[in-house]
Amino acid sequence: MENYGLSTKTISLENLGIKNANVRYQLTPDELHDITIEKGQGVESDTGALAINTGEFTGRSPQDRFIVHDSITEDKVWWGNVNIPFDSAKFDALYDKVTDYLSNKEVFVRDSYVCADEDYRLNVRVVTENSWSNLFCYNMFLRPEESELEDFKADWHVVCAPGFMADPAVDGTRQSNFAILNFTRKIALVGGTGYTGEMKKGIFSALNFILPVDKNTLPMHCSANVGENGDTAIFFGLSGTGKTTLSADPARKLIGDDEHGWTSNNSVFNFEGGCYAKVINLTEENEPDIFRAIKRGALLENVIFKPGTNEVDFEDISITPNTRVSYPITHIDNIQPGSVGHNPKNIFFLSADSFGILPPISKLTPGQAAYYFISGYTAKVAGTEAGINEPQPNFSACFGAPFMPLHPAKYAEMLSSKMKEAGVNVWLINTGWTGGPYGTGQRMKLKLTRAMITAALNGELNNVEYKNHEVFGLAIPQTCPNVPDEVLNPRDTWENKEAYDAKALELAAAFKNNFAKFEEFANEEIMSGGPLA
């Protein structure tokens, strides 16, 4: 029950079942940085950031994410292989084992909150076994003022014990690691994995249930920024599609890079207080904001240093392609005060199409917008996961299926309603391949993608000629400022047109096959938004 942070508050964790713990409460980033190095769990990079290794797990483990099946979730959660039910009694027993494990140990405790809009604020107390896990939560969650800590009451708890290994035969898990949400006890329980993203995504998943069910607010797996005229842009996309990169725009103020709510008052607020960016192949030229944010206080995960130095080799993926950095949003200069925007005008769906079929930019009808939102398409690239030797389509409903407890139709209905009310333009952006599929073509140049998005934001594509894609029916602008015309029509970039046509039909079939499970929930307008062929 001791206190070592700057706060004068002394706390006990007895109410959580953690007894006689050496509580390190509300430590500063500098203290957590230094403790991690002292324990031999991290190294300081040449820019001052802390670099750690998360261990066996370098990414989320979707098959080991569970939601407790209880009276709150029973009839509302879309149960299946994404939202896997967990027995309530099994949770209680497992939770007690985790808290016994943490008892009599040094633990790191942080009081924080999520949802930048005060009307939606959710207080979160985080208990972590490791100092660097606590630094991650300092970076990623919102940080209360010192004066708010005295009477702080947690709405939810995150308990993270990477060193605790579950016994599947006894505990009801699939293997030794687990991430479990309990909406009755309001606990996100993480064990057996050091991957920090499990904590953030646990709270995100909780909000994806709470906000639509209780607050009439649409939760979104997206980034968002604000222009000089106060117009908000929203960027949906799965990991690796450019969601973080493209929202970091020197001409616009960043609201946030990953998780937001769209309220009934037509405002958009950040859930978080930081950014969690991929750093594979990071360069200052391509992504200056992210590159410069990697300084003291930032936490690098699973990176490799160049030989004989403490300089990160961002091209080295020998541990994982999913190298990451977390940092407080204040590490970026160009941010929106209060992390709230208004007046959404443009929505961008980002897909990294490694087949090279989709146009680099196309404008969507309301029906297409709903269809592509429910589909949540990108493509996995060969070599990034075991057993993947050629591009594979990857559909993740609402661009975030692993974090969506409700049926995708619920989120799609809310988005469609908000899009129509706000009169927003919706664009599909292919940040993937052009001139052929992965292995033959090349990745769309970032500067060209930025130019297309800038043109859309500035209204420069409002009055240009459009032609519909033969297979997908997508409206493709035939000209775009600062972009060569020949890049805009993907078929024109392929040497072998017949190969393009065949692959386009193959991808269209994959879309239709994926959407079959949603057809019973989709109206005629949405169904008309799918591929033509």
Side-chain angles (χ1 to χ4, degrees):
M1 212 169 86
E2 298 174 78
N3 175 78
Y4 291 91
L6 290 180
S7 169
T8 57
K9 185 176 178 181
T10 301
I11 66 165
S12 167
L13 299 178
E14 298 272 344
N15 65 315
L16 294 179
I18 300 171
K19 299 168 184 167
N20 303 313
N22 176 11
V23 177
R24 312 295 299 269
Y25 177 68
Q26 217 70 4
L27 298 194
T28 67
D30 280 339
E31 288 172 313
L32 295 167
H33 177 113
D34 293 342
I35 289 168
T36 302
I37 292 173
E38 287 165 13
K39 290 177 179 288
Q41 296 177 353
V43 180
E44 188 172 305
S45 76
D46 63 339
T47 63
L50 178 63
I52 58 96
N53 191 311
T54 61
E56 177 185 356
F57 293 94
T58 58
R60 290 178 302 99
S61 186
Q63 291 179 283
D64 301 295
R65 170 193 175 274
F66 306 93
I67 297 175
V68 173
H69 187 278
D70 56 26
S71 60
I72 294 174
T73 60
E74 183 177 18
D75 297 327
K76 291 188 175 70
V77 167
W78 191 41
W79 301 108
N81 58 4
V82 171
N83 298 306
I84 307 167
F86 201 84
D87 180 75
S88 181
K90 288 280 189 186
F91 177 90
D92 292 343
L94 179 57
Y95 178 83
D96 288 346
K97 288 170 74 170
V98 173
T99 54
D100 284 347
Y101 168 83
L102 292 173
S103 294
N104 302 300
K105 281 187 171 66
E106 178 183 53
V107 295
F108 299 86
V109 178
R110 176 157 307 285
D111 285 342
S112 56
Y113 67 99
V114 291
C115 299
D117 187 320
E118 189 64 33
D119 292 339
Y120 301 88
R121 174 171 170 161
L122 193 79
N123 284 344
V124 180
R125 173 166 286 177
V126 181
V127 181
T128 63
E129 180 180 7
N130 294 325
S131 51
W132 46 268
S133 303
N134 208 267
L135 176 60
F136 174 85
C137 292
Y138 173 88
N139 288 346
M140 294 310 304
F141 295 151
L142 289 153
R143 297 161 283 277
E145 298 293 332
E146 183 79 18
S147 60
E148 297 176 288
L149 295 175
E150 194 59 42
D151 298 316
F152 188 91
K153 290 183 174 58
D155 299 305
W156 270 72
H157 288 87
V158 176
V159 178
C160 179
F164 175 88
M165 301 295 163
D167 179 350
V170 175
D171 298 322
T173 58
R174 186 180 71 99
Q175 50 186 27
S176 59
N177 63 300
F178 53 89
I180 311 174
L181 285 180
N182 188 320
F183 282 91
T184 296
R185 297 184 62 175
K186 298 181 179 179
I187 293 170
L189 183 65
V190 179
T193 171
Y195 182 65
T196 56
E198 295 283 17
M199 293 183 288
K200 146 189 163 74
K201 290 303 185 186
I203 289 297
F204 183 27
S205 296
L207 289 170
N208 285 344
F209 182 93
I210 294 165
L211 290 177
V213 170
D214 298 334
K215 303 282 190 178
N216 191 30
T217 289
L218 173 67
M220 303 178 291
H221 185 213
C222 69
S223 57
N225 60 28
V226 180
E228 290 180 1
N229 297 323
D231 61 298
T232 296
I234 297 169
F235 300 80
F236 285 94
L238 298 170
S239 178
T241 58
K243 183 161 47 69
T244 296
T245 301
L246 293 168
S247 60
D249 184 334
R252 300 174 65 85
K253 294 187 183 301
L254 181 70
I255 300 174
D257 83 324
D258 196 39
E259 302 167 356
H260 295 79
W262 188 347
T263 74
S264 55
N265 297 323
N266 209 27
S267 64
V268 174
F269 65 85
N270 193 356
F271 287 179
E272 306 178 289
C275 300
Y276 192 38
K278 293 172 81 83
V279 296
I280 181 173
N281 298 324
L282 180 69
T283 65
E284 186 170 17
E285 179 185 4
N286 282 341
E287 302 177 80
D289 285 341
I290 297 171
F291 189 90
R292 293 166 194 160
I294 303 176
K295 56 189 178 183
R296 179 84 177 195
L299 180 69
L300 287 158
E301 295 180 13
N302 303 312
V303 297
I304 298 291
F305 291 152
K306 293 178 180 177
T309 75
N310 280 36
E311 179 186 352
V312 177
D313 183 349
F314 292 111
E315 295 180 3
D316 192 323
I317 56 171
S318 54
I319 296 177
T320 175
N322 190 34
T323 48
R324 293 268 183 174
V325 65
S326 65
Y327 49 85
I329 199 167
T330 50
H331 277 208
I332 292 178
D333 294 330
N334 198 25
I335 58 174
Q336 172 75 350
S339 294
V340 179
H342 303 275
N343 196 28
K345 287 298 182 189
N346 289 278
I347 294 176
F348 299 92
F349 294 160
L350 308 176
S351 295
D353 176 27
S354 55
F355 294 99
I357 296 300
L358 294 181
I361 184 168
S362 51
K363 192 171 185 179
L364 304 185
T365 65
Q368 288 172 331
Y371 186 95
Y372 282 88
F373 179 68
I374 292 172
S375 297
Y377 168 71
T378 190
K380 293 180 180 178
V381 175
T384 57
E385 291 184 21
I388 295 180
N389 300 312
E390 59 182 35
Q392 289 188 2
N394 181 29
F395 297 97
S396 184
C398 310
F399 293 96
F403 329 117
M404 301 292 177
L406 308 181
H407 192 285
K410 171 67 175 175
Y411 305 107
E413 286 167 9
M414 293 184 77
L415 181 66
S416 292
S417 173
K418 289 181 178 298
M419 287 190 306
K420 289 173 182 175
E421 286 172 12
V424 298
N425 294 313
V426 186
W427 310 86
L428 181 65
I429 304 290
N430 177 14
T431 63
W433 272 254
T434 181
Y438 175 83
T440 304
Q442 59 279 338
R443 189 87 189 246
M444 182 64 64
K445 288 180 178 165
L446 181 59
K447 69 177 183 180
L448 294 181
T449 300
R450 285 194 187 279
M452 291 179 239
I453 288 173
T454 297
L457 290 169
N458 292 343
E460 294 172 302
L461 299 181
N462 291 350
N463 299 309
V464 301
E465 180 189 358
Y466 283 82
K467 286 186 179 176
N468 286 349
H469 190 278
E470 300 89 340
V471 174
F472 285 87
L474 301 166
I476 306 170
Q478 297 304 288
T479 59
C480 178
N482 302 310
V483 178
D485 290 352
E486 59 269 19
V487 171
L488 296 169
N489 294 284
R491 189 174 187 269
D492 294 345
T493 68
W494 282 50
E495 283 188 27
N496 188 332
K497 311 301 188 207
E498 290 75 18
Y500 175 87
D501 294 339
K503 187 60 73 173
L505 290 171
E506 183 183 320
L507 183 58
F511 265 89
K512 291 180 176 180
N513 183 56
N514 170 72
F515 205 84
K517 58 181 173 284
F518 303 119
E519 285 182 357
E520 64 179 295
F521 305 99
N523 60 28
E524 190 175 329
E525 181 183 45
I526 295 173
M527 292 305 299
S528 70
L532 303 177

